[in-house]
């Protein structure tokens, strides 16, 4: 009988700002899921989009994770060191897949942001590289349950017009390279999972299982995000922050007495119950 591969999870923030309660919650959920399975938990800094990045944000994320006792295994991976691997993967997909050049602007793209190969770029035109996907892949989310096939866009950008590799390509190349078996991340990325599974299949890579945790919104229903200027978490209040994250994650451990982040994380690991999130709507903070 085939043995299950050892659990390997990851937290993969983009360094577009410091950790806020929403990203801390994702980090905690993926950490607990990995530790509860006696698995490996990796940290990957997704720094492939310099125009969106904030200087120093990567380091500040590392420091915040450590202040909260969220220690990762192995050396952290910076996607900016992986550009050759993305180029190689793109070459492979071009050889065997449906990669095509696209010079569309926002105004000329069709419904759903699709190009449908209607533009005919001249050889000298600056183009994006896209891949045509079928949208025939569904999956069973560990929190949300079965997800019927559905793509937000069939013509997925793999390399942007400005020459930068797209998140969609980098994330699957690295999930495959790092042998990630379990992805736990925010529900805002749920719609991306369909295309990522299809791309993984095109790359002939193993498919991880996915669990999407509800996103954290402020009282007016706006998703906490670095772009929207969400307040950075205060590393000096690490224990209280962890408790709040556990409370938002509907974990019984949030109420238990603990004198340190380490103690609380150990309790939270032993009581980790992702199914408690199944019925959760958007989580509200503060
Ligand atoms: N880097 C992405 C973000 O910060 C997350 C990627 C992922 O978990 O797949 O939103």
């Amino acid at each position: 009988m085939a043995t299950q591969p050892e659990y390997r999870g990851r937290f993969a923030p983009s360094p577009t700002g410091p950790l806020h309660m929403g990203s801390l919650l994702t980090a905690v959920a993926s950490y607990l899921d990995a530790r509860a399975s006696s698995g490996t938990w990796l940290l990957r800094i997704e720094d492939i989009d310099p125009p969106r990045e904030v200087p120093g944000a990567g380091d500040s994320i590392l420091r915040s994770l450590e202040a909260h006792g969220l220690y990762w295994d192995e050396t952290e991976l910076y996607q900016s060191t992986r550009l050759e691997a993305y180029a190689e993967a793109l070459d492979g997909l071009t050889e065997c897949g449906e990669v095509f050049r696209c010079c569309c602007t926002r105004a000329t793209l069709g419904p759903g942001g699709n190009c449908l190969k209607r533009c005919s770029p001249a050889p000298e035109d600056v183009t994006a590289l896209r891949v045509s996907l079928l949208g025939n892949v569904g999956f069973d989310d560990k929190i949300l349950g079965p997800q019927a096939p559905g793509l937000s866009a069939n013509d997925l950008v793999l390399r942007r017009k400005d020459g930068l590799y797209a998140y969609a390509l980098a994330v699957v190349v690295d999930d495959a390279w790092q042998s990630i078996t379990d992805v736990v991340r925010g529900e805002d990325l749920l719609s991306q999972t369909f295309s990522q599974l299809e791309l993984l299949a095109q790359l002939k890579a193993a498919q991880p299982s996915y669990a999407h945790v509800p996103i954290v919104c402020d009282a007016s229903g706006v998703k906490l995000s670095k772009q929207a200027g969400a307040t950075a978490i205060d590393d000096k209040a690490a224990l209280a922050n962890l408790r709040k994250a556990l409370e938002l994650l509907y974990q019984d451990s949030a109420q238990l007495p603990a004198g340190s982040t380490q103690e609380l994380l150990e309790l939270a690991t032993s009581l980790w119950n992702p199914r408690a999130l199944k019925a959760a709507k958007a989580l509200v903070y503060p």
Side-chain angles (χ1 to χ4, degrees):
M1 212 172 85
T3 49
Q4 284 282 98
E6 185 221 340
Y7 184 118
R8 285 172 69 82
R10 68 0 176 234
F11 175 52
S14 305
T16 49
L19 278 193
H20 52 74
M21 187 48 79
S23 39
L24 177 69
L25 182 126
T26 306
V28 169
S30 73
Y31 174 92
L32 293 178
D33 205 58
R35 294 296 183 238
S37 302
S38 308
T40 301
W41 188 63
L42 306 178
L43 174 63
R44 185 167 77 220
I45 302 291
E46 303 209 316
D47 56 345
I48 45 158
D49 192 354
R52 286 183 58 231
E53 286 159 22
V54 170
D59 286 348
S60 123
I61 292 172
L62 264 63
R63 277 196 307 274
S64 286
L65 291 172
E66 287 170 341
H68 288 76
L70 297 164
Y71 297 106
W72 56 96
D73 302 307
E74 304 179 9
T75 309
E76 60 277 12
L77 178 69
Y78 288 84
Q79 285 194 320
S80 54
T81 65
R82 297 268 302 144
L83 303 185
E84 267 174 38
Y86 308 144
E88 226 171 79
L90 195 50
D91 286 348
L93 288 170
T94 308
E95 267 166 40
C96 63
E98 287 284 314
V99 176
F100 62 96
R101 297 170 70 231
C102 163
C103 60
C104 283
T105 61
R106 258 181 216 168
T108 62
L109 281 171
N114 288 313
C115 158
L116 307 174
K117 299 186 187 164
R118 284 172 312 196
C119 64
S120 337
E124 67 279 10
D125 282 346
V126 177
T127 62
L129 290 178
R130 291 177 179 262
V131 66
S132 295
L133 299 176
L134 298 171
N136 57 357
V137 177
F139 68 101
D140 197 4
D141 190 278
K142 271 185 1 192
I143 292 173
L144 303 171
Q147 303 294 311
L151 281 179
S152 49
N154 294 75
D155 294 335
L156 186 72
V157 175
L158 298 179
R159 204 183 66 198
R160 299 173 358 189
K161 260 189 194 174
D162 59 10
L164 294 174
Y165 293 104
Y167 154 72
L169 176 70
V171 72
V172 294
V173 171
D174 286 339
D175 280 344
W177 187 63
Q178 295 189 289
S179 304
I180 299 299
T181 60
D182 292 77
V183 173
V184 179
R185 61 183 178 187
E187 207 178 313
D188 52 330
L189 292 167
L190 180 69
S191 65
Q192 308 258 355
T193 307
F194 303 97
S195 47
Q196 290 176 17
L197 283 166
E198 223 179 305
L199 263 188
L200 282 164
Q202 290 197 14
L203 290 165
K204 300 189 176 39
Q207 301 184 333
S209 75
Y210 292 85
H212 290 88
V213 297
I215 53 170
V216 183
C217 295
D218 65 18
S220 51
V222 176
K223 176 191 167 228
L224 295 197
S225 72
K226 295 169 243 189
Q227 292 84 342
T231 318
I233 47 166
D234 175 6
D235 290 345
K236 292 199 275 308
L239 187 56
N241 295 335
L242 277 183
R243 240 181 232 298
K244 187 69 209 176
L246 291 169
E247 190 189 306
L248 287 167
L249 287 166
Y250 292 84
Q251 298 301 300
D252 293 343
S253 52
Q255 319 304 336
L256 297 179
S260 66
T261 54
Q262 223 44 50
E263 205 182 321
L264 186 56
L265 285 172
E266 274 165 29
L267 284 168
T269 301
S270 63
L271 295 172
W272 172 237
N273 176 19
R275 278 172 304 279
L277 283 163
K278 203 172 163 59
K281 302 274 174 282
L283 312 172
V284 180
Y285 179 83

